[in-house]
Amino acid sequence: MRKLIPSWIRVIVIFFIIFGLTEFIIDSGEKPAFIEYPVVSLFLLLVMLILIAIEAIIGALENVMLLKLDEEAKARFLAEKETKYKFTWIKNIYKKLAGGKPIEEEAEIILDHNYDGIKELDNNLPPWWIWGFYASIVFAAIYLIRFHVFNGENQYDELETELADAKIAIEAYKKTAKNLVDVNTVTVLTDASDLSAGKTVFETNCIPCHMSDGGGGIGPNLTDKHWILGGDIKSVFKTISQGGRSGKGMISWKQQLKPLEIAQVASYVLTFQGTTPANPKEPQGNLWVDESTQQTTETNTTQIDSITTTN
């Protein structure tokens, strides 16, 4: 066998067998055991080095022994070695796994049945089948106890855990990826850097219609409380992105501006509320009242009236 399989191949095979068994036994979760437990990696590396050293020593000893033999003895040794290890181990393993009787002994297990000269042997089940059957029984018992008695985590539980982790990861990513913002997720940006970027976009694209102070020109006044298409951040974002009223409103800017830039300029536009422009344009549209703020105010007023009545 040493002659048929090079030593370096045997060492690698043995190493990966140990590698797989260790990983299976430790079962450290998502990360491989050899990353989570560096000591295990060092131990297996040491084992591989020892195996290589043993192979080298055995090979060196054989070479020294061969040097001491004459040509005839050397040829006889190599011939015996090749004959001894020439796949006999595979044949022996096969015989043990098959478990059948040799042809010379089949007379002991011939049954009385005879069908046109065809007789039947009373062979036992092959050992590989029997041990496989026993292994399946052991596996079934462990599976039953693990998942049906102690309600162990199954693939559905693992899926739910992974989905929950994925949602958390997506939310964390969205916090750092502002360009994913859309009309449904946009919120008022208050950071100085965002407002400064929004001011730059406004001064580059919006001044011709709304004036630098938001007082309005061709476009409406942005400082009063009257809005044509809504005055909350979502409405302003949508108006900038998709444009105003068809045929007479503002053009769509979604081709020229990124979602983050639209959110920044929309937030900057809302900072004009309550300011006094130099030449304010007459109000256009309807008086805008934030429904959420109004509901909060009405609730607080109702609570105060209730407390006053009680007192």
Side-chain angles (χ1 to χ4, degrees):
M1 181 177 177
R2 288 179 51 79
K3 188 175 181 64
L4 294 172
I5 303 177
S7 60
W8 63 273
I9 293 180
R10 295 201 300 276
V11 170
I12 292 175
V13 170
I14 294 172
F15 175 75
F16 278 102
I17 289 174
I18 298 174
F19 181 99
L21 290 174
T22 306
E23 177 65 30
F24 176 76
I25 293 171
I26 293 178
D27 190 17
S28 56
E30 295 182 359
K31 293 182 178 180
F34 307 96
I35 295 177
E36 194 166 354
Y37 304 102
V39 176
V40 176
S41 301
L42 294 175
F43 171 74
L44 290 180
L45 181 60
L46 179 62
V47 170
M48 185 175 69
L49 293 175
I50 293 173
L51 290 174
I52 293 174
I54 292 173
E55 290 286 341
I57 292 171
I58 293 174
L61 291 175
E62 285 186 354
N63 291 333
V64 171
M65 182 181 66
L66 288 173
L67 290 175
K68 295 181 178 181
L69 298 176
D70 55 29
E71 292 300 324
E72 184 180 351
K74 184 186 298 184
R76 188 170 56 255
F77 173 80
L78 293 176
E80 291 177 355
K81 180 179 178 181
E82 184 175 356
T83 303
K84 182 178 180 181
Y85 291 110
K86 193 172 184 178
F87 298 109
T88 55
W89 61 280
I90 296 178
K91 295 178 181 178
N92 292 333
I93 291 175
Y94 174 78
K95 288 180 180 178
K96 289 181 179 179
L97 290 177
K101 286 275 188 180
I103 295 178
E104 298 81 7
E105 301 176 11
E106 282 185 351
E108 300 175 5
I109 57 173
I110 293 179
L111 298 176
D112 295 334
H113 308 299
N114 189 329
Y115 302 97
D116 295 331
I118 300 174
K119 297 183 179 181
E120 182 181 358
L121 297 177
D122 187 18
N123 278 313
N124 293 324
L125 287 170
W128 66 265
W129 192 97
I130 294 174
W131 287 109
F133 179 67
Y134 291 157
S136 65
I137 294 175
V138 173
F139 175 82
I142 295 174
Y143 187 93
L144 176 68
I145 296 172
R146 177 73 174 85
F147 293 103
H148 294 278
V149 176
F150 294 104
N151 296 321
E153 189 179 70
N154 54 37
Q155 61 266 38
Y156 297 105
D157 298 326
E158 292 177 358
L159 176 61
E160 290 178 1
T161 301
E162 291 180 2
L163 289 175
D165 293 340
K167 288 181 180 179
I168 294 173
I170 290 172
E171 293 302 323
Y173 175 71
K174 285 182 178 180
K175 291 180 181 178
T176 58
K178 294 182 178 180
N179 262 324
L180 293 177
V181 66
D182 58 23
V183 69
N184 297 313
T185 60
V186 64
T187 57
V188 178
L189 302 176
T190 57
D191 290 348
S193 59
D194 289 322
L195 295 177
S196 177
K199 180 180 179 181
T200 301
V201 174
F202 184 87
E203 292 177 346
T204 303
N205 302 286
C206 309
I207 285 180
C209 295
H210 297 284
M211 302 300 171
S212 60
D213 57 5
I218 300 174
N221 185 351
L222 301 175
T223 64
D224 58 37
K225 295 184 178 181
H226 289 75
W227 293 84
I228 298 173
L229 297 173
D232 63 327
I233 185 63
K234 295 184 184 298
S235 299
V236 177
F237 183 97
K238 182 178 180 181
T239 303
I240 298 172
S241 175
Q242 301 181 9
R245 296 165 295 173
S246 177
K248 57 181 177 179
M250 184 174 66
I251 66 169
S252 170
W253 288 92
K254 62 184 178 182
Q255 300 299 328
Q256 292 90 341
L257 301 176
K258 297 178 180 179
L260 175 59
E261 292 176 324
I262 297 176
Q264 290 170 334
V265 72
S267 299
Y268 177 72
V269 163
L270 293 180
T271 64
F272 286 126
Q273 289 289 290
T275 62
T276 304
N279 296 302
K281 188 177 180 180
E282 291 297 323
Q284 293 176 271
N286 301 318
L287 183 65
W288 174 262
V289 179
D290 191 341
E291 294 182 359
S292 61
T293 305
Q294 186 180 25
Q295 290 177 357
T296 303
T297 304
E298 289 177 355
T299 302
N300 293 338
T301 303
T302 303
Q303 291 176 347
I304 292 172
D305 291 342
S306 175
I307 294 171
T308 303
T309 303
T310 304
N311 292 338

